[in-house]
Amino acid sequence: MTKHAVASFFLLGAGVAVGGFYGIELVNASTADKPVNIVIATSAGPRPFTYFDKDNQLVGYDIDLARAVFSHLPQYKVSFTTTEFPSILAWLDSDRFQVGANNFAENKQRKEKYIFTQPIFENQFVIAISEKNDSIHSLKDLLGKSTEVNPGINFTTALEKYNQQHKENPVNLKYTEAELLPVLQNVESGKADFQLIDKSMLEQYIAEYQLKLKVIPLSKEESGLIGAPYSYFLVAKGAKGEILANDINAQLQKLIADGTITAISQKYFHGDYAPK
């Protein structure tokens, strides 16, 4: 499978093979004469929430969890598609896609336009800086400093709002579509001063790529400026979306209770980030 391709999958039996990808449609005629078509959209980044593995298969925390959820919902015929991050939201608006799976955090603008499922991931927000950097200890120290940001994500939105409150000395935002690894490497080398990021993701990149970075936790008050430390699936609004979100939420509750979400978290993060 290549990027920007749509792939359908079939989950056999009651379980799901974590990390697997299947090329057969999900259909169960005994429970639904005409299963409802659902397209789950993702940008295949950031890793490990959503990405293509060495075999060019779509995997990741959000992807495995989506598969686990829909393995128990045979009334839906599910496919995945990859697209640019902003396009996920645009096509959710038009109902071309019904679900977004891309480590989505909550913010006011999204809350007005989309249905948020129950949390699928609980995390902590941190600042990544070079080991040689001794000038950043909290959010206020970011003023006047530089960072590379992806348009539209929660950290970017938070920094844009922060700049509106500190116009005399704003954070220097350099917009980029680059993958996370080169962005973090630029922090390591000093080309950028910092990166706001999820703790779990940062720790994985430090371990995997031996990055010489320090982790500065944000206070509860500082984290509140970014949003709740959770990520969610997004669902297109409307009557059908409400039903779909309720079905997803019911399965999420079961997957938390039976340890499935913890198992997926351990696989990708070597820690338990299942919502409590």
Side-chain angles (χ1 to χ4, degrees):
M1 189 185 75
T2 59
K3 290 188 178 182
H4 307 292
V6 177
S8 298
F9 66 97
F10 191 156
L11 304 173
L12 296 174
V16 57
V18 174
F21 193 78
Y22 304 85
I24 310 172
E25 291 177 349
L26 168 62
V27 179
N28 187 334
S30 65
T31 57
D33 293 332
K34 292 184 179 180
V36 177
N37 290 313
I38 299 297
V39 179
I40 301 177
T42 183
S43 69
R47 182 177 179 179
F49 290 96
T50 169
Y51 65 101
F52 286 94
D53 67 12
K54 60 182 177 60
D55 298 317
N56 209 30
Q57 301 300 302
L58 185 63
V59 296
Y61 180 88
D62 282 31
I63 305 306
D64 285 12
L65 182 51
R67 291 188 178 121
V69 166
F70 283 97
S71 71
H72 302 284
L73 297 174
Q75 64 268 39
Y76 297 105
K77 177 182 173 182
V78 178
S79 61
F80 287 91
T81 187
T82 58
T83 187
E84 299 297 328
F85 183 85
S87 298
I88 299 174
L89 302 178
W91 289 113
L92 278 173
D93 290 342
S94 66
D95 200 35
R96 178 175 175 179
F97 306 149
Q98 287 71 50
V99 178
N102 218 97
N103 188 32
F104 282 107
E106 180 181 335
N107 62 42
K108 182 179 179 182
Q109 292 82 0
R110 290 177 188 165
K111 197 71 173 177
E112 292 172 350
K113 298 182 67 175
Y114 313 105
I115 300 171
F116 281 71
T117 65
Q118 293 183 3
I120 64 172
F121 188 83
E122 184 174 359
N123 206 350
Q124 182 180 358
F125 302 139
V126 299
I127 306 168
I129 61 174
S130 168
E131 286 186 348
K132 300 176 182 179
N133 189 332
D134 294 321
S135 65
I136 294 176
H137 306 281
S138 65
L139 196 66
K140 63 180 177 59
D141 296 326
L142 304 184
L143 295 173
K145 304 295 195 302
S146 67
T147 185
E148 294 178 284
V149 294
N150 293 127
I153 68 171
N154 59 324
F155 297 117
T156 303
T157 301
L159 288 171
E160 289 169 342
K161 290 182 177 180
Y162 198 58
N163 279 350
Q164 288 297 314
Q165 300 167 0
H166 301 87
K167 294 181 179 181
E168 72 288 350
N169 186 30
V171 179
N172 180 11
L173 304 181
K174 301 176 182 179
Y175 292 88
T176 180
E177 297 289 348
E179 298 291 333
L180 181 58
L181 179 58
V183 168
L184 291 174
Q185 287 171 331
N186 285 341
V187 174
E188 181 184 38
S189 68
K191 291 181 180 179
D193 293 316
F194 73 93
Q195 182 69 205
L196 277 182
I197 188 172
D198 298 328
K199 180 182 178 183
S200 58
M201 193 184 307
L202 177 59
E203 289 180 339
Q204 174 163 343
Y205 272 73
I206 289 174
E208 184 172 354
Y209 298 103
Q210 292 78 53
L211 298 173
K212 294 179 172 58
L213 297 172
K214 290 192 289 189
V215 182
I216 309 297
L218 295 183
S219 68
K220 184 176 181 180
E221 181 180 357
E222 291 171 332
S223 293
L225 298 177
I226 298 171
Y230 299 103
S231 64
Y232 311 78
F233 293 133
L234 295 190
V235 178
K237 273 198 171 181
K240 293 180 180 178
E242 293 285 353
I243 295 172
L244 175 58
N246 287 338
D247 288 341
I248 292 172
N249 287 338
Q251 293 307 316
L252 288 174
Q253 295 258 3
K254 294 177 182 178
L255 296 176
I256 290 173
D258 69 12
T260 298
I261 296 183
T262 293
I264 296 172
S265 176
Q266 291 285 357
K267 174 185 176 181
Y268 286 104
F269 298 100
H270 308 292
D272 186 3
Y273 293 93
K276 304 300 188 289

